[in-house]
Amino acid sequence: QLQLVESGGGLVQAGDPLRLSCVVSGRTASGTTTAWFRQAPGKEREFVAAIRWGLNNGYYADSVRGRFTVSRDKASNTMYLQMNSLKPDDTAVYFCAGTSRNLILSTMGLSGEYNYWGQGTQVTVSS
């Protein structure tokens, strides 16, 4: 079982950077996969980025590739999302999600593959 707690959200201006953190409690073995999803007002939750802890390789949505970087630190059991060149369209509540399975690439963007979720952290980007 995993518990996830996000932090780092806030209000920034367009073009600014911001880093989100997700502390993962529980058994984070090499088979763990964690991800970031976001949900803007009136929109469905969408995939942002994911990482497999054993391989430490990131997988990104097209909308953020090249601007966002997902990483993990095994020593502190923390996943990060470094967000650069933020846009007003990035405004959303960002959720951390996890599973104790090593997901294959084709499933890493599917919210249904993750059975543990954090409470979310608000990111607001002003123009």
Side-chain angles (χ1 to χ4, degrees):
Q1 192 169 8
L2 303 177
Q3 296 82 41
L4 305 103
V5 179
E6 308 95 334
S7 63
L11 172 63
V12 297
Q13 292 187 333
D16 284 351
L18 193 66
R19 190 176 78 161
L20 304 182
S21 300
C22 173
V23 177
V24 184
S25 302
R27 187 168 176 268
T28 51
S30 296
T32 299
T33 305
T34 53
W36 291 98
F37 287 79
R38 67 186 182 185
Q39 188 166 17
K43 294 187 177 181
E44 300 210 348
R45 189 171 297 188
E46 67 172 354
F47 170 73
V48 176
I51 189 165
R52 294 181 289 196
W53 285 55
L55 298 176
N56 196 25
N57 57 340
Y59 175 62
Y60 300 92
D62 289 343
S63 59
V64 305
R65 187 176 293 112
R67 298 189 298 124
F68 291 10
T69 302
V70 62
S71 62
R72 63 98 180 97
D73 177 36
K74 281 188 173 181
S76 62
N77 271 8
T78 303
M79 176 178 66
Y80 299 100
L81 184 68
Q82 177 66 45
M83 304 185 292
N84 296 328
S85 302
L86 281 163
K87 306 174 182 179
D89 284 350
D90 295 317
T91 295
V93 176
Y94 283 70
F95 297 91
C96 175
T99 176
S100 298
R101 295 178 294 134
N102 200 22
L103 298 181
I104 60 175
L105 283 178
S106 62
T107 64
M108 288 173 75
L110 303 177
S111 60
E113 295 294 324
Y114 299 90
N115 41 355
Y116 303 106
W117 291 82
Q119 294 300 307
T121 185
Q122 176 71 46
V123 173
T124 303
V125 184
S126 64
S127 58

